[in-house]
Amino acid sequence: MNAIISASELAGDLAGDRPPVLLDIRWQLSLAQAAGAPAFDGRAEYAAGHIPGAVFVDLDRDLAAAPGHRGRHPLPDLAEFGAAMRRAGVSSGRPVVVYDGGQGWAAARAWWLLRWTGHPDVRVLDGGLPAWPGPLSTDTPDPEPGDFEPVTGASGLLDADGAAALARSGVLFDARAGERYRGEVEPIDRVGGHIPGAVSAPTTENVAPDGRFLPAGELRARFEALGAAEGTEVGVYCGSGVSAAHEVLALAVAGIPAALYVGSWSEWSSDPARPVAAGPDPR
């Protein structure tokens, strides 16, 4: 099953006999927030206009636990996550489509969580809300509760030790901007740099200027050139496990399975005992 869906395909599915559950995950990383400025208000953006029928899901509240020693966006409590998904109308036997404001990171986080916890049919709207050609709605739907019960994924998740090991035995991609990987700047976390052995692979290079993913063949060629050869185990991390989910999604589009280190740099760098590498060299 393709992990992404085009706006035209989504419009057709919504008009069909078995429309998907549609989730709006409006969110964005705000460096200004780290300096004390007001946070981006995804719910207000949703209220101002969304794809008809979409239900708003709050990334910080529903797709992550509270920030702490496990990072800025650690895994949510599965019972609370399941309850949030059921309130949004998610059922195991009904397709789900997720979208955000266009960056794709938040939608990918929802996609990854639902897939990792056992939902069989989840796709991301390629290009997000800006790709949607139809009218928007300000109506707030009241969906019938779903029956989705999340189960812990058997694979696809890395902890700090697993990420460190994978950087030695396979390939661990760092999805952050290159300057953060090199340690030249670090606007959020305690220290700059990267996990020793990790390879810089900014997630922004997986999409075209309009925010849509590059063709699968181009993505596969990119990742193979960075070390994701056939049979190589692949993992991804970022700052807090959000943009890395977008890279896992890009890898899925390319046909390359990958695990996600959810704690990412915000967890790794908070532990002074963890080694830190800097500069362009992985090690």
Side-chain angles (χ1 to χ4, degrees), residues 184-208:
E184 296 166 359
V185 299
E186 182 43 63
I188 305 175
D189 293 312
R190 183 184 69 85
V191 63
H194 58 269
I195 296 174
V199 176
S200 180
T203 198
T204 52
E205 296 179 16
N206 297 324
V207 297

Side-chain angles (χ1 to χ4, degrees), residues 76-100:
D77 176 85
L78 287 191
E80 294 178 6
F81 170 65
M85 293 300 97
R86 290 191 294 275
R87 286 194 302 271
V90 174
S91 292
S92 295
R94 186 176 172 190
V96 177
V97 173
V98 295
Y99 74 89
D100 57 26

Side-chain angles (χ1 to χ4, degrees), residues 7-99:
S8 60
E9 290 173 319
L10 175 58
D13 287 355
L14 290 173
D17 296 332
R18 190 169 174 255
V21 174
L22 191 58
L23 304 181
D24 183 309
I25 326 287
R26 221 80 65 87
W27 175 92
Q28 67 183 38
L29 175 66
S30 173
L31 299 184
Q33 182 184 353
F40 173 84
D41 191 341
R43 189 176 293 276
E45 294 290 320
Y46 166 84
H50 51 266
I51 299 176
V55 177
F56 179 73
V57 172
D58 189 303
L59 184 148
D60 291 315
R61 186 188 66 189
D62 300 327
L63 306 182
H69 70 278
R70 294 186 297 135
R72 285 193 307 279
H73 290 105
L75 284 175
D77 176 85
L78 287 191
E80 294 178 6
F81 170 65
M85 293 300 97
R86 290 191 294 275
R87 286 194 302 271
V90 174
S91 292
S92 295
R94 186 176 172 190
V96 177
V97 173
V98 295
Y99 74 89

